[in-house]
Amino acid sequence: QIIDAGKGKDRNHNVRQQLVEFNQYPSLRLETIILVTLWPSLAMFYTGFSFGWGKILPDRYSGYIMAGVGRIVSYFMAVSLIGLLGRRRTMIAMFLGAALCYLIAIPNVEFGCGWTLQSVMSLIGVMFVNGAYSGLYLWTGEI
């Protein structure tokens, strides 16, 4: 038989207290609503850039190597931009950069050796999305 040591009461009190704080502080409520909106949009950006790379890239292995290098570069880029511009401005720039990569990737332009504008913009777009992920992850932890 499992005996509850009274942790259920503490848990209910914490939830009740959090709801009171959520209603008491409008800035906390606004930031929470913004984060609840940004996480799914970031997931859609990431899925849009990462899905179907086997069909977009000329060589699957070199494409994934380039994407891995781009992710590493994006984390360093995001940290330096957050230090320079601030977290929110950096996230805005990263989201706008990802949206711009989506728009640029629409025409079908061939560069040679199987690389197209769509494949290059997908790799650059993943860099922007990973940078936005870094900023959003930091922001979520602060709430």
Side-chain angles (χ1 to χ4, degrees), residues 5-99:
K7 291 185 179 179
K9 287 183 179 179
D10 293 339
R11 195 174 318 131
N12 289 336
H13 176 69
N14 286 339
V15 169
R16 205 173 301 127
Q17 185 178 5
Q18 287 174 353
L19 287 174
V20 167
E21 288 177 357
F22 187 71
N23 287 326
Q24 188 176 7
Y25 301 108
S27 62
L28 177 67
R29 183 176 50 233
L30 179 65
E31 285 191 24
T32 304
I33 291 170
I34 290 171
L35 286 174
V36 166
T37 306
L38 287 179
W39 273 112
S41 64
L42 185 67
M44 286 186 281
F45 266 128
Y46 189 79
T47 304
F49 281 125
S50 299
F51 188 68
W53 275 10
K55 297 174 187 165
I56 295 173
L57 301 174
D59 180 20
R60 184 177 301 178
Y61 301 110
S62 65
Y64 280 109
I65 289 171
M66 295 288 286
V69 170
R71 285 185 178 132
I72 292 170
V73 169
S74 71
Y75 291 131
F76 286 113
M77 181 177 64
V79 168
S80 62
L81 283 176
I82 286 172
L84 183 68
L85 300 175
R87 185 190 61 244
R88 290 185 181 157
R89 287 185 181 141
T90 300
M91 285 180 42
I92 290 170
M94 293 291 178
F95 271 103
L96 289 176

Side-chain angles (χ1 to χ4, degrees), residues 89-138:
R89 287 185 181 141
T90 300
M91 285 180 42
I92 290 170
M94 293 291 178
F95 271 103
L96 289 176
L100 187 66
C101 286
Y102 264 126
L103 292 175
I104 294 173
I106 291 174
N108 190 13
V109 178
E110 184 94 20
F111 288 137
C113 298
W115 287 92
T116 62
L117 184 63
Q118 185 180 16
S119 60
V120 172
M121 285 297 115
S122 293
L123 292 174
I124 295 171
V126 165
M127 290 174 56
F128 282 113
V129 170
N130 281 327
Y133 175 81
S134 299
L136 198 57
Y137 186 78
L138 289 173

